[in-house]
Amino acid sequence: MNILVLNSGSSSIKYQLLDMEQEVLLAKGLAEKIGFDESIVSFVNGEGKKTKITKSIPNHLEGIKVMIDALLDAECGVIKTVTEIDAVGHRIAQGGSYFKSSSLVNDDVKTKIKDCFQLASLHNPPQFKGILAIEEVVPGVPNIACFDTVFHQTLPDHAYMYALPYDWYQEDGVRKYGFHGLSHEFVSKRAGQILNRKWDDLKIISCHLGNGASVAAVNKGESIDTSMGFTPLQGLVMGTRCGDIDPAIIPYIMGKRNYSTEDVDNALNKESGVKGISGVSSDFRDLENAAFNEGNKRAALALQMFDYRVKFYISAYFGILNGADVILFTGGLGENSPEMREAVCKNLSALGIEIDLEKNKVRGKETIISTPESKVAVIVIPTDEELVIAREAKDIISR
Ligand code: ADP
């Protein structure tokens, strides 16, 4: 059974084709700069053969056509006809309060995804375009919508409500939704397998740390709190996003600098985080280089602020969960930065957290990095959101 997984952004489409009998990758690729004159489509088949096409791709429909053509290509392709695609799984950022599970796309599901546009104006519309494009290019294939918010639908009301006028929640849907749910669920389940324990017996603090970053408190298989909120802007310091701030800063700075809502939205989402503090980059590799090798003080400060906020959430969720069995690190940074993991776990011995600095040197590989004496298992687990989506799609079409 072959499942195509799509992750559509405003100007890009990431895709993977997986054979789900063996869970092997048949091909993957990326269409970038959609809507620009020179769009780039890159494609790698399962044997590692790479192809790169540069041409004008005006919209998502054309992007999907080029992608399907690459999959069918006589030389580098991996399938002979589109009937070899059994289902398409789509990553959808925001499912609002509608979706408690991944769903087979029908008219009702489409209406609800569109209803959520106002809650995720950057993410849901291009992802929805991905569904429409597949309906046109591969008619009849089942489309499955997999939401980043679903895993956090178990949050209790006292955790997801904001202390704002109640009708903002009732009439306008203002509440915490949380994101990265596909990843938090995947790595939490995997931790149970690694430790040979049932994941729904464990108390887990899951740290997904990449350009976007969030922490989740997972109690016996259910998310009970998470650091991202109404949008993916809340919580940790991120690559370019500010995370938690005093909301009074917003009207203050709008008045002071004569900013529009768009200006301020742009500053909080794109010019803040470690990029805003350091003035160097949003990429942690550049920051670590600037801080550790070039003595750049602002880069060092940005890293310290990032680490401090992760430590802050781990400590808070330790209390919320009344102890933890496992702390997980995943995401590009969580998987690859020993320096960050060491800084975050340092001085947490009061919580029974102790890591082995030798084992912590690992990058991108599943490894238990805590000492045998540590009361809490600390584990690095590479995430695989595409595989989660493919499994969900397989599960739904097999019912
Ligand atoms: P997202 O999916 O949110 O765009 P990723 O999970 O791919 O982000 O993480 C990307 C980030 O991971 C990059 O900004 C980079 O800073 C960090 N990263 C990747 N590899 C390394 C590394 N070897 N050392 C430090 N940071 C790394």
Side-chain angles (χ1 to χ4, degrees):
M1 178 189 292
N2 296 334
I3 309 278
L4 177 64
V5 176
L6 288 191
N7 189 353
S8 308
S10 55
S11 65
S12 71
I13 306 170
K14 280 191 215 160
Y15 60 94
Q16 286 194 3
L17 184 69
L18 294 117
D19 170 356
M20 290 307 288
E21 302 305 331
Q22 321 289 336
E23 293 198 343
V24 289
L25 182 71
L26 297 176
K28 68 174 183 177
L30 173 66
E32 289 174 281
K33 294 190 163 183
I34 294 173
F36 292 73
D37 287 342
E38 291 213 325
S39 314
I40 306 159
V41 181
S42 49
F43 178 87
V44 189
N45 69 15
E47 285 148 18
K49 187 163 184 228
K50 292 183 186 165
T51 313
K52 200 167 175 181
I53 309 158
T54 305
K55 63 181 282 193
S56 164
I57 299 179
N59 53 42
H60 283 65
L61 178 61
E62 289 306 314
I64 298 272
K65 281 184 185 162
V66 174
M67 179 194 83
I68 297 284
D69 285 346
L71 291 171
L72 291 168
D73 188 84
E75 256 185 51
C76 66
V78 290
I79 51 172
K80 292 203 169 57
T81 89
V82 287
T83 55
E84 289 176 52
I85 301 172
D86 296 287
V88 183
H90 300 261
R91 181 179 193 174
I92 310 285
Q94 176 58 277
S97 300
Y98 289 125
F99 294 100
K100 313 278 182 216
S101 63
S102 301
S103 302
L104 180 67
V105 175
N106 55 25
D107 287 346
D108 177 49
V109 167
K110 284 202 270 189
T111 306
K112 287 174 175 155
I113 295 173
K114 276 200 279 186
D115 242 27
C116 296
F117 276 13
Q118 51 182 346
L119 299 177
S121 56
L122 289 180
H123 297 97
N124 274 32
Q127 292 163 345
F128 188 68
K129 279 187 200 160
I131 295 178
L132 298 182
I134 289 290
E135 284 181 338
E136 195 164 330
V137 181
V138 197
V141 74
N143 287 293
I144 317 296
C146 302
F147 302 90
D148 274 312
T149 47
V150 156
F151 185 55
H152 303 301
Q153 281 291 299
T154 45
L155 259 62
D157 51 5
H158 57 261
Y160 71 67
M161 289 297 294
Y162 293 111
L164 293 166
Y166 197 74
D167 56 0
W168 290 21
Y169 162 65
Q170 279 185 312
E171 290 163 30
D172 300 311
V174 176
R175 52 157 284 182
K176 177 181 277 199
Y177 292 101
F179 298 87
H180 286 147
L182 297 162
S183 175
H184 287 305
E185 183 173 358
F186 175 80
V187 291
S188 303
K189 281 187 178 158
R190 187 72 201 124
Q193 291 168 340
I194 293 168
L195 297 174
N196 212 5
R197 300 217 10 217
K198 282 195 184 155
W199 84 297
D200 46 9
D201 275 345
L202 293 170
K203 295 179 187 181
I204 299 173
I205 300 173
S206 170
C207 307
H208 178 112
L209 310 176
N211 265 325
S214 71
V215 184
V218 183
N219 188 34
K220 302 186 172 182
E222 289 191 345
S223 174
I224 60 165
D225 205 352
T226 189
S227 58
M228 282 180 171
F230 176 63
T231 71
L233 185 58
Q234 195 187 341
L236 301 176
V237 172
M238 300 180 223
T240 60
R241 293 176 226 160
C242 61
D244 299 333
I245 58 165
D246 182 341
I249 294 167
I250 295 167
Y252 168 78
I253 207 73
M254 285 176 84
K256 200 92 183 113
R257 298 197 171 204
N258 206 14
Y259 276 2
S260 66
T261 44
E262 202 183 331
D263 294 335
V264 83
D265 198 45
N266 197 48
L268 300 180
N269 276 291
K270 300 199 177 129
E271 301 300 332
S272 299
V274 290
K275 180 183 172 197
I277 292 296
S278 68
V280 172
S281 170
S282 61
D283 191 300
F284 283 80
R285 286 163 287 203
D286 300 336
L287 286 175
E288 288 180 354
N289 185 43
F292 305 141
N293 301 328
E294 294 166 4
N296 184 313
K297 289 207 169 71
R298 275 173 56 187
L301 172 64
L303 291 173
Q304 281 165 357
M305 289 172 68
F306 179 89
D307 299 341
Y308 177 79
R309 195 77 65 87
V310 178
K311 194 191 265 282
F312 181 92
Y313 270 98
I314 289 177
S315 309
Y317 289 166
F318 202 93
I320 298 291
L321 288 162
N322 192 18
D325 301 298
V326 188
I327 294 176
L328 302 179
F329 286 102
T330 194
L333 181 65
E335 292 163 28
N336 290 300
S337 176
E339 292 80 6
M340 178 278 300
R341 293 190 301 253
E342 182 181 342
V344 166
C345 294
K346 203 171 180 171
N347 291 333
L348 286 181
S349 55
L351 304 184
I353 296 166
E354 217 178 287
I355 62 167
D356 178 323
L357 296 182
E358 270 307 303
K359 290 183 188 155
N360 182 43
K361 286 184 179 158
V362 69
R363 291 182 197 270
K365 197 164 152 259
E366 215 169 77
T367 312
I368 299 177
I369 59 166
S370 43
T371 63
E373 294 75 35
S374 179
K375 292 201 184 88
V376 182
V378 184
I379 318 180
V380 174
I381 306 183
T383 195
D384 194 341
E385 286 150 314
E386 282 76 16
L387 181 59
V388 184
I389 293 171
R391 284 181 182 162
E392 294 280 308
K394 178 185 175 188
D395 190 40
I396 287 180
I397 61 164
S398 306
R399 280 179 201 162

